[in-house]
Amino acid sequence: MRYWLMKSEPDVFSIDDLRRNQVELWDGIRNYQARNFLREMEVDDLAFFYHSNTQLPGIVGLMKIVETNVVDPTQFDSENKYYDPKSFAEAPRWQTVKVGYVATYSDCITLERLKQLFTPDELWVVRRGNRLSVMPVESAVAERIFAVAKALTLETSSSV
DNA sequence: GCCAACGTTGGC
DNA sequence: GCCAACGTTGGC
């Protein structure tokens, strides 16, 4: 089982939207490196949900991969923002996954916090100028993120 | 195949 | 809103 981090702009699609829908197709990825990671995903892999391009960027929750190698339908829809006229049904260029809601953390693990805790080699999202929206997270790093999430929850509940 | 121009991402 | 990073496009 592997761990991942996936970015989304909360104005477009947030952890609250995923909680409401429970399962969602992760569409619109049009970067080959990100797509290659999507292709590597397996059912039951876990992915951190990261809010980007927002007031308080950071990890806000957890999701699970529920279906893999899904052809992204938006590539064939000329009305869609993610339409790719160079992709053909016989050989679709863009595959993605369906994700399932697992949890929302009681507090956002902010980018600022992540930068304090992890080196750019450990967690790519803290790399300066990083634009990749889907990336792997090593197990040991994932475990440390889980520990931080747990500590935040305890902090919150004990301060009430 | 090189590289300048351009567009997008995303933190701040 | 600014701008650094960086992927993509297109002329040559």
Side-chain angles (χ1 to χ4, degrees):
Chain A
M1 207 259 294
R2 297 179 67 184
Y3 299 94
W4 308 91
L5 182 147
M6 298 164 79
K7 293 183 188 172
S8 178
E9 300 189 12
D11 289 348
V12 179
F13 184 71
S14 71
I15 187 82
D16 288 337
D17 295 325
L18 182 60
R19 181 171 53 193
R20 202 173 308 118
N21 301 354
Q22 289 296 310
V23 171
E24 188 72 29
L25 181 71
W26 203 267
D27 60 10
I29 302 297
R30 295 292 179 271
N31 169 285
Y32 286 105
Q33 199 182 354
R35 182 210 59 185
N36 292 344
F37 286 134
L38 289 168
R39 285 179 172 176
E40 287 178 27
M41 290 182 182
E42 292 180 18
V43 171
D44 289 340
D45 281 0
L46 291 171
F48 295 104
F49 196 131
Y50 181 95
H51 279 178
S52 66
N53 200 16
T54 183
Q55 198 77 12
L56 203 64
I59 292 172
V60 292
L62 188 68
M63 48 196 176
K64 186 168 68 174
I65 309 306
V66 299
E67 193 179 332
T68 59
N69 285 304
V70 184
V71 174
D72 185 341
T74 62
Q75 67 195 303
F76 302 125
D77 177 5
S78 59
E79 302 294 302
N80 194 283
K81 180 185 173 186
Y82 299 112
Y83 175 58
D84 181 355
K86 293 177 186 168
S87 184
F88 303 97
E90 315 85 70
R93 207 176 263 203
W94 306 106
Q95 291 81 27
T96 186
V97 296
K98 276 185 186 168
V99 295
Y101 177 78
V102 175
T104 303
Y105 294 145
S106 58
D107 286 292
C108 173
I109 307 173
T110 63
L111 176 60
E112 189 186 11
R113 188 90 185 262
L114 292 170
K115 281 180 175 171
Q116 292 165 1
L117 293 167
F118 300 102
T119 67
D121 283 339
E122 286 174 327
L123 191 64
W124 299 1
V125 81
V126 307
R127 286 181 186 175
R128 182 184 170 80
N130 165 71
R131 290 165 43 185
L132 188 63
S133 64
V134 176
M135 63 193 76
V137 178
E138 279 181 30
S139 302
V141 172
E143 293 301 332
R144 287 166 63 195
I145 296 172
F146 288 136
V148 173
K150 195 172 178 184
L152 283 173
T153 306
L154 294 174
E155 245 172 59
T156 307
S157 48
S158 61
S159 66
V160 173

